Amino acid sequence: MKVTFLGHACFLVEGGGKSVIIDPFLTDNPVAKAKPEDIKVDAILLTHGHGDHLGDAVQIAKNNNATIIAPYELANFCGGQGAQVHSMHIGGDYNFDFGWVKLTPALHGSAYVDESGVTYTGNPCGFLVRMEGKTIYHAGDTGLSAEMEVIGRTNEIDVAMLPIGSNFTMGPEDAAEAVKMLKCKTVIPMHYKTWPLIDKDPNEFCKLVGDTAKCVVLEIGESYEF
Ligand code: NI
Ligand code: MN
């Protein structure tokens, strides 16, 4: 299994000849290098409707004839824009062609906001994804929550992607607490340095993690294979 960091909370996840992208925020992302038209995937996973996560999802879905997997309200919102969708909700799991997906709780908001107003897009989530017998956990945007202890107890997590930027999500200290609860083998920090407001140092986070887990800081475009 291989994960490639495309900037902010966006990861390309590959395994068994299939690939999915999580939270494909590329076009308006000041740090992203990949272009939506270059993305080749079997599915798109969305944690919530905020612009920095929904991003280019609908365009990528249409380009690839790929399905958007998201919480019910957000899936319907994307379906309304002509994308093929598979709606799920927190606590539910499903076996797709590319692998297994389960939606986990996230403590955050979820709405699509533009000039015309605010569109409610349901509850935000995180994802457990299993491909080739390996499991990743992408927390989405969330604060530290006690549910992470249960997620860690009931899943063997190989790699966890956790937000560390603070202000909108967990900061480094809380994310290091999350690592203890998740008992993941490896942690990859995300959702930092995209803008000055979330300018946290990933190496400081790794220091806080210590020997609780292997801490891998990925450059934009860099991959981690496990
Ligand atoms: Ni958000
Ligand atoms: Mn965000």
Side-chain angles (χ1 to χ4, degrees), residues 53-97:
H53 298 260
L54 174 64
D56 305 291
V58 171
Q59 186 193 335
I60 292 170
K62 288 178 180 173
N63 287 350
N64 290 274
N65 199 22
T67 302
I68 292 179
I69 299 161
Y72 177 79
E73 295 83 356
L74 177 56
N76 275 280
F77 175 76
C78 295
Q81 293 176 33
Q84 187 176 299
V85 299
H86 179 113
S87 69
M88 296 182 70
H89 235 305
I90 292 163
D93 68 341
Y94 192 82
N95 282 304
F96 294 91
D97 282 350

Side-chain angles (χ1 to χ4, degrees), residues 3-223:
V3 294
T4 305
F5 183 46
L6 299 182
H8 201 52
C10 179
F11 287 85
L12 184 70
V13 182
E14 296 167 276
K18 302 279 185 185
S19 61
V20 302
I21 194 166
I22 305 176
D23 288 353
F25 170 54
L26 301 172
T27 299
D28 297 322
N29 181 341
V31 299
K33 292 175 184 156
K35 300 266 172 285
E37 51 270 27
D38 301 332
I39 303 297
K40 299 275 172 281
V41 287
D42 297 286
I44 300 102
L45 277 59
L46 298 180
T47 62
H48 63 295
H50 289 161
D52 59 320
H53 298 260
L54 174 64
D56 305 291
V58 171
Q59 186 193 335
I60 292 170
K62 288 178 180 173
N63 287 350
N64 290 274
N65 199 22
T67 302
I68 292 179
I69 299 161
Y72 177 79
E73 295 83 356
L74 177 56
N76 275 280
F77 175 76
C78 295
Q81 293 176 33
Q84 187 176 299
V85 299
H86 179 113
S87 69
M88 296 182 70
H89 235 305
I90 292 163
D93 68 341
Y94 192 82
N95 282 304
F96 294 91
D97 282 350
F98 62 82
W100 173 85
V101 174
K102 184 172 183 178
L103 270 61
T104 60
L107 294 180
H108 196 65
S110 181
Y112 178 73
V113 184
D114 67 7
E115 316 76 50
S116 65
V118 177
T119 308
Y120 171 68
T121 51
N123 281 315
C125 73
F127 290 108
L128 286 157
V129 180
R130 190 156 61 229
M131 292 163 107
E132 296 184 308
K134 300 279 173 74
T135 304
I136 62 160
Y137 168 61
H138 183 294
D141 277 5
T142 185
L144 180 63
S145 87
E147 273 103 353
M148 290 170 180
E149 193 274 329
V150 181
I151 295 169
R153 182 150 45 82
T154 52
N155 296 276
E156 270 194 34
I157 300 167
D158 292 285
V159 175
M161 293 92 133
L162 302 181
I164 65 154
S166 200
N167 194 78
F168 299 110
T169 68
M170 296 188 280
E173 291 80 10
D174 281 358
E177 281 302 311
V179 172
K180 290 181 199 163
M181 291 195 273
L182 293 164
K183 298 181 171 64
C184 49
K185 289 181 192 139
T186 301
V187 61
I188 300 174
M190 64 174 182
H191 214 275
Y192 62 90
K193 282 195 188 295
T194 317
W195 301 283
L197 201 53
I198 55 171
D199 185 17
K200 295 290 181 189
D201 182 351
N203 297 309
E204 287 300 317
F205 166 68
C206 288
K207 273 187 207 158
L208 294 169
V209 171
D211 52 18
T212 309
K214 180 176 174 185
C215 189
V216 175
V217 177
L218 293 178
E219 298 296 324
I220 312 276
E222 197 183 352
S223 301

